[in-house]
Amino acid sequence: MTATRFSRLFMLAAAILSAILVVVALVIVFSAKERMLTVAQPLGGDFINLYAAAQMLVQGHLDGIYLPDVVMAFERTIIDAYLGLRLWAYPPHAFFFIWPFGLMPFEWAFASWSVLSVSVLTLAARRYGFSWSESLLLTFSPAAIVCLLLGQTGLLVTAFVLSAYSARSARDGLAIAGTAILTVKPQAGFIIPVLWLLRRQYRLVVLTSIAILALIGASIAVFGIDAWRSYLLDTVSVITTLEKQGSGPFMLMMPSLFMAARLVGIDGGLAFVIHLVFAVPVALWLLLRLSKCTSQSRQNLLALVGVTLITPYLHIYDLPLLSAAVLIALREPSLPGAKGGVRQLLLVLAWFLPLMLMPLNAAHVPLAPLLLMALFIVV
């Protein structure tokens, strides 16, 4: 099958699937009773964490935001049901962007968050250079729908990454602002300064560094150094322990080699070492390929797929990054020596990965790292 025909068929099939998923998502959302979907799963999924943190901030309870027991008790005042282990996992400068949601009723806040996420990603995709059909396909891809149902940040993260990858000048305000905000989730944006340095966009690196320092400094001035101390000493340690030793549904939501090792029974500490031994050569190979690549589009493609491989704590709701990579790959010719059929199959599997990941992990067949590695090789 020619690349052009495959792209057209892919876009058509993906659009039909997205339409079906949107209907299913709406049915799920409107079936919620008393703000709950299932046991321990509230309407909006993890959005309850953002909403609780925003309300605590507005009500002057800043000192408890990074204490999981305090946060969970506060969340019970919002939704009086068992919600499982919950916490606010982002650093204090994220407060600048979430506090308005604490001024709204829960349902309105969740709706506003969803509309904001969809709108920002669509506009960022258009800014990147995707057509309207490609942009909407990304915004309502399986990864994006999963992210919306879970009330997570993946759509905004992908939007900021695309804005950074498509920086238009040495003073591109959107690229600088988006990258500075990405410091609340650095595992998605760590490759951005590398790309800018390779492209000799040194001023972007300098200006973004200043913006990051200013943002962190402003958070210390407004929220105090104790908020940072509590985040680093309390929350980060809890998250690290949970990822390495904890169990629960979150283990099914991670496509990394780290979690694949945990799922087959390897100790968390050793699993992290295994991932590190794998990720370092991949990172070096990524740098080599980026440095030899003359096409910015292919650089972006390599970076997006590379990030999904290298990051140990990637989750299912971060996979809009991979969906963006698939759309970029559809525009790129196959590499010499890479069989078109194999490449096309891998693109299809990557697009469907958000729907396959949890069933595969639940069956203790964590194939996601192999798929991501294969895709990285052929793109």
Side-chain angles (χ1 to χ4, degrees):
M1 184 184 299
T2 64
T4 301
R5 185 181 181 191
F6 171 76
S7 295
R8 290 174 179 170
L9 289 175
F10 181 95
M11 296 285 286
L12 176 61
I16 294 172
L17 173 64
S18 290
I20 295 171
L21 290 177
V22 168
V23 173
V24 171
L26 290 174
V27 170
I28 291 173
V29 168
F30 285 103
S31 68
K33 296 180 180 179
E34 298 181 349
R35 299 179 174 174
M36 292 295 294
L37 297 176
T38 60
V39 176
Q41 182 69 344
L43 171 66
D46 294 333
F47 180 75
I48 185 65
N49 300 326
L50 185 150
Y51 185 71
Q55 283 227 316
M56 292 175 73
L57 188 64
V58 170
Q59 296 178 21
H61 303 309
L62 174 62
D63 56 342
I65 291 178
Y66 290 115
L67 302 175
D69 290 341
V70 175
V71 172
M72 287 188 288
F74 189 88
E75 290 177 348
R76 288 294 295 269
T77 68
I78 301 168
I79 302 178
D80 187 15
Y82 173 72
L83 302 175
L85 175 62
R86 299 277 169 176
L87 51 81
W88 173 246
Y90 298 94
H93 54 301
F95 294 152
F96 289 123
F97 312 107
I98 69 165
W99 68 267
F101 297 100
L103 303 175
M104 310 176 195
F106 177 81
E107 287 81 2
W108 280 101
F110 175 53
S112 299
W113 172 258
S114 301
V115 171
L116 174 69
S117 299
V118 165
S119 301
V120 171
L121 179 55
T122 303
L123 293 175
R126 287 289 294 147
R127 167 190 156 92
Y128 179 83
F130 287 130
S131 66
W132 273 109
S133 59
E134 291 170 320
S135 300
L136 291 173
L137 202 59
L138 173 60
T139 302
F140 296 101
S141 63
I145 297 297
V146 170
C147 182
L148 286 169
L149 285 173
L150 293 175
Q152 268 289 347
T153 58
L155 273 67
L156 294 175
V157 166
T158 303
F160 297 146
V161 168
L162 290 178
S163 294
Y165 285 9
S166 59
R168 297 177 177 178
S169 70
R171 297 181 179 179
D172 190 320
L174 288 176
I176 292 169
T179 305
I181 296 171
L182 271 176
T183 54
V184 305
K185 198 162 188 176
Q187 63 266 42
F190 66 88
I191 201 69
I192 291 171
V194 176
L195 283 177
W196 285 348
L197 290 172
L198 288 173
R199 295 169 184 175
R200 300 184 179 181
Q201 296 173 307
Y202 306 123
R203 184 172 293 181
L204 275 173
V205 177
V206 173
L207 293 178
T208 301
S209 299
I210 294 172
I212 292 170
L213 291 175
L215 188 58
I216 293 174
S219 71
I220 294 173
V222 174
F223 306 115
I225 193 66
D226 284 342
W228 274 96
R229 185 179 294 111
S230 183
Y231 166 70
L232 293 172
L233 297 180
D234 298 325
T235 299
V236 171
S237 62
V238 169
I239 294 173
T240 302
T241 301
L242 178 65
E243 300 287 5
K244 289 185 176 181
Q245 301 176 14
S247 61
F250 80 93
M251 296 181 67
L252 308 181
M253 301 168 65
M254 298 176 68
S256 65
L257 180 61
F258 162 73
M259 191 51 69
R262 282 210 59 202
L263 285 167
V264 297
I266 297 175
D267 172 76
L270 179 57
F272 185 81
V273 171
I274 292 172
H275 184 96
L276 188 64
V277 170
F278 164 78
V280 170
V282 171
L284 293 175
W285 188 19
L286 173 61
L287 289 175
L288 179 63
R289 295 181 71 182
L290 289 175
S291 65
K292 291 185 175 181
C293 188
T294 57
S295 165
Q296 287 196 6
S297 177
R298 189 173 290 275
Q299 281 185 334
N300 296 338
L301 172 57
L302 288 169
L304 285 167
V305 179
V307 164
T308 65
L309 264 177
I310 295 168
T311 304
Y313 300 136
L314 194 78
H315 290 77
I316 193 171
Y317 44 74
D318 299 312
L319 290 180
L321 290 167
L322 187 62
S323 300
V326 171
L327 291 177
I328 295 173
L330 290 174
R331 296 177 159 206
E332 292 285 323
S334 298
L335 290 174
K339 293 184 178 180
V342 173
R343 187 173 185 269
Q344 291 167 359
L345 175 61
L346 289 172
L347 291 177
V348 171
L349 292 175
W351 189 262
F352 281 95
L353 182 59
L355 302 180
M356 302 186 300
L357 179 62
M358 293 185 71
L360 284 173
N361 284 353
H364 296 280
V365 187
L367 296 178
L370 293 176
L371 167 61
L372 295 173
M373 188 68 213
L375 184 63
F376 182 67
I377 291 171
V378 304
V379 295

